[in-house]
Amino acid sequence: MHEAAMGLRRTCRGVGVGRGVIAGPVLRMQDPLPEPIDVPFTGDVSAEQSRATLALAQTRTELRERAARAGGHAQDVLEAQALMADDPALAEDIAARIASGKTAERAVYEALATVQQMFMNLGEYMAARSTDVGDVCQRVIARLTGVPAPGAPESSTPFVLVAQDLAPADTVLLDLSQVLALVTSGGSATSHTAILAREKSLIAVVGVDGADDIADGELVLVDADAGVVTIAPAAKQVRTALSRSAARIRVSPSGPGELADGTLVPLLANVGTPSNAIAALEHGAEGVGLFRTEFLFLGRRRPPSVAEQVEHYTELLEEFAGKRVVARVLDAGADKPLSFLRSPAEANPALGMRGIRALQANEPILRDQLEALAAAGAATEAELWVMAPMVADVEETAYFVTLAREFGLQTAGVMVEVPSSAVLAGQVLGIADFVSIGTNDLTQYTLAADRLQGPLARFQDPWHPAVLRLVKLVGDAGLASGRPVGVCGEAAADPMLAVVLVGLGATSLSLAPAAISDVRHQLRQFTLESARALAAEVIGAPSAAAARAMALAH
Ligand code: PEP
Ligand code: MG
């Protein structure tokens, strides 16, 4: 397959992460180990069980050691992987399968495949974690069969890493000084590959159609701005792309987010846990525009107590004295299921009891959270704003804002993630103190395309003019009411799209900390007038690709 296409110039499309263009030879990730054959096991069951136990323990130790070396987000995920390998329920399941006549390899494979399927069924947040489970499985089987664990290639010269998808364990082992770019056939803008690429400021294109056919040694041109990978590009094409990229001097301006005419556009960070605060500040975040509080709730049987929540929120708020921190109350349901939320089984959870609806149906949980946020706000010097996820209309807006005020939370807003609230933005902003546009969900609901489904990934593009027109409705309502309009979806991390969003009326942007510097740089190339002119042009485009191309032509 690889050899057949080798040397032929071709272009593959995917989702670009980060910024820039680079060219280099490909090194592929080693292929995954084959599925262990299901032959009946007739040997000594307890010896086979011990073999499996040992392999699990060795994998766990190896993952813990890597976690200790990794730091950052990768450390959290590697520790989570080590915990998976340490799960007594998993060990029991494997032992039972061996007792029923499976080899250790097959038992490990089947037990972890079951876990993987469970994660897949839970939706995007958890589905992205299923790659980690697959990785643990490969590592245990490699231990059992005595082969090297599949993983990152090593090279003393720079290369473009091409893989199906990357687990954090792989990226942690990479010698980043030799990795020019990442290209994956799987993954989405929210997969680990994308998250880690952003964290490490690596150029990446994920979800690339045709990436599996790129062979070792082929020269590729990876263009993250355009989300395109060109295989065997012409020398002239490489020269032009690289000089375009070099011309865009990658200065790291400091100071506030602002346009060339001095219009301030605060650049805030998206964070999930208090431990993310340091990285956010190091990257120059002017505050937090999206504190995803659900991370404290995920994977628990019961919600955290008010006291525990106060401690958690205080830890984050303390880092942002004098700065804005927008805490989003629990965003649960659909892709973020929580066992303690009372909700009926749903055939279509993305259109079901999620976000503010789920909270309204479980009001004591919301009340506890607002109480904890108010206490943490009062105990620190941060400027605490609160907002509700998945608000669909004016009634839900009024419900949340009234309740937040009851707890003394003075600045209460809502996320615009459902097209109805964008259409009603004027009325919503008559009640809410601010809105924050979640372009990830707004895109999936506008295009009626599940953001979890790989084959529908082409619809999950916030450059789509239909999405941009909804952003404009919200921006216009913000301008008319004089109230802030933030954007906190992944769109805000795309430097050129960030300019368009500001042109459409966004007054602040919240994004992954590592992307702040590029966005800050790009904003300074435009005045408010030129950003508005660009936005006006782009929303007339017939497609997302055309909109992006129009903007990049500037
Ligand atoms: C969004 O939908 O854009 C958003 C920021 O929320 P999340 O990605 O957490 O659903
Ligand atoms: Mg959302």
Side-chain angles (χ1 to χ4, degrees):
M1 185 78 161
H2 296 165
E3 288 71 16
M6 182 124 187
L8 289 182
R9 179 162 319 136
R10 51 208 196 277
T11 300
C12 305
R13 294 194 175 275
V15 178
V17 179
R19 186 158 182 255
V21 185
I22 209 151
V26 164
L27 265 187
R28 292 194 64 90
M29 194 83 174
Q30 277 172 40
D31 286 337
L33 299 173
E35 180 181 325
I37 306 164
D38 191 9
V39 282
F41 177 71
T42 51
D44 179 346
V45 167
S46 81
E48 192 69 352
Q49 287 169 333
S50 305
R51 220 163 64 78
T53 309
L54 178 66
L56 277 171
Q58 288 169 331
T59 306
R60 185 180 62 224
T61 308
E62 179 202 331
L63 286 165
R64 285 219 177 105
E65 283 169 5
R66 281 209 197 126
R69 287 201 301 272
H73 172 73
Q75 177 170 9
D76 297 344
V77 188
L78 283 161
E79 274 166 7
Q81 282 190 308
L83 280 178
M84 285 174 202
D86 202 18
D87 183 356
L90 175 69
E92 268 170 38
D93 186 11
I94 292 170
R97 286 176 197 267
I98 294 172
S100 76
K102 305 281 178 184
T103 62
E105 288 84 348
R106 184 71 199 177
V108 166
Y109 173 81
E110 288 182 4
L112 280 159
T114 312
V115 179
Q116 219 175 349
Q117 191 53 51
M118 194 188 73
F119 276 109
M120 302 278 279
N121 294 343
L122 288 177
E124 184 181 33
Y125 261 76
M126 296 298 173
R129 307 294 92 86
S130 81
T131 312
D132 306 342
V133 180
D135 179 69
V136 172
C137 181
Q138 291 271 311
R139 284 173 196 284
V140 181
I141 294 175
R143 289 267 173 197
L144 284 167
T145 46
V147 298
E154 284 180 16
S155 167
S156 54
T157 51
F159 62 95
V160 173
L161 180 64
V162 178
Q164 288 179 353
D165 203 358
L166 293 177
D170 305 324
T171 38
V172 166
L173 275 189
L174 280 179
D175 175 1
L176 291 178
S177 64
Q178 301 298 1
V179 177
L180 296 168
L182 302 172
V183 172
T184 62
S185 56
S188 65
T190 50
S191 65
H192 275 308
T193 306
I195 291 168
L196 288 172
R198 274 188 211 104
E199 203 169 84
K200 309 271 185 203
S201 298
L202 279 176
I203 291 174
V205 184
V206 300
V208 177
D209 208 13
D212 291 339
D213 294 332
I214 307 175
D216 261 339
E218 285 200 282
L219 179 72
V220 288
L221 180 66
V222 186
D223 185 341
D225 294 317
V228 165
V229 179
T230 309
I231 301 119
K236 185 160 176 266
Q237 193 181 358
V238 174
R239 272 199 309 276
T240 314
L242 294 184
S243 61
R244 168 161 65 83
S245 183
R248 198 182 46 206
I249 314 149
R250 287 178 65 93
V251 282
S252 299
S254 53
E258 61 182 344
L259 299 174
D261 57 13
T263 306
L264 292 176
V265 183
L267 295 176
L268 311 166
N270 287 354
V271 302
T273 63
S275 61
N276 299 151
I278 307 295
L281 287 166
E282 277 171 0
H283 282 95
E286 296 169 63
V288 171
L290 172 61
F291 175 22
R292 289 183 161 109
T293 60
E294 57 271 13
F295 281 94
L296 182 64
F297 292 71
L298 286 172
R300 293 192 180 228
R301 293 225 174 87
R302 256 176 238 107
S305 68
V306 173
E308 189 182 345
Q309 290 187 56
V310 174
E311 194 184 326
H312 184 79
Y313 305 147
T314 304
E315 199 184 327
L316 179 89
L317 292 176
E318 270 171 348
E319 301 292 339
F320 292 92
K323 298 193 168 84
R324 185 194 314 172
V325 174
V326 186
R328 172 172 78 184
V329 294
L330 180 59
D331 182 19
D335 58 337
K336 302 160 193 164
L338 290 177
S339 58
F340 52 82
L341 280 189
R342 187 172 52 81
S343 63
E346 297 175 316
N348 202 347
L351 302 180
M353 290 293 276
R354 58 176 314 186
I356 190 68
R357 293 175 197 166
L359 289 173
Q360 204 166 358
N362 295 271
E363 197 176 288
I365 293 176
L366 176 57
R367 284 183 169 273
D368 279 358
Q369 192 176 19
L370 291 173
E371 182 185 336
L373 283 166
T380 60
E381 302 295 318
E383 190 192 324
L384 177 63
W385 295 16
V386 291
M387 67 180 179
M390 289 291 159
V391 169
D393 61 17
V394 178
E395 279 153 336
E396 286 182 345
T397 305
Y399 166 75
F400 177 72
V401 171
T402 308
L403 199 60
R405 298 226 201 289
E406 204 183 289
F407 285 88
L409 291 155
Q410 286 313 317
T411 312
V414 298
M415 288 191 72
V416 175
E417 303 178 275
V418 184
S420 55
S421 61
V423 173
L424 294 172
Q427 292 176 42
V428 166
L429 274 169
I431 296 165
D433 297 312
F434 69 96
V435 292
S436 183
I437 306 175
T439 46
N440 307 338
D441 278 309
L442 186 61
T443 306
Q444 86 157 339
Y445 289 121
T446 303
L447 277 302
D450 189 340
R451 75 191 243 198
L452 314 182
Q453 289 206 36
L456 300 181
R458 95 174 167 81
F459 291 104
Q460 190 61 34
D461 190 338
W463 278 97
H464 200 288
V467 178
L468 298 181
R469 282 169 189 245
L470 287 174
V471 172
K472 180 164 167 34
L473 284 182
V474 186
D476 288 349
L479 203 60
S481 63
R483 298 196 162 182
V485 172
V487 174
C488 63
E490 292 297 317
D494 174 336
M496 204 59 191
L497 188 47
V499 173
V500 172
L501 295 169
V502 171
L504 293 172
T507 56
S508 68
L509 300 171
S510 189
L511 52 155
I516 288 178
S517 159
D518 281 348
V519 169
R520 187 192 285 124
H521 172 66
Q522 190 73 319
L523 289 181
R524 290 183 186 183
Q525 316 308 312
F526 288 80
T527 60
L528 187 55
E529 199 187 335
S530 61
R532 283 180 175 158
L534 174 66
E537 196 183 321
V538 160
I539 58 169
S543 68
R548 188 186 276 107
M550 267 182 193
L552 288 176
H554 274 253

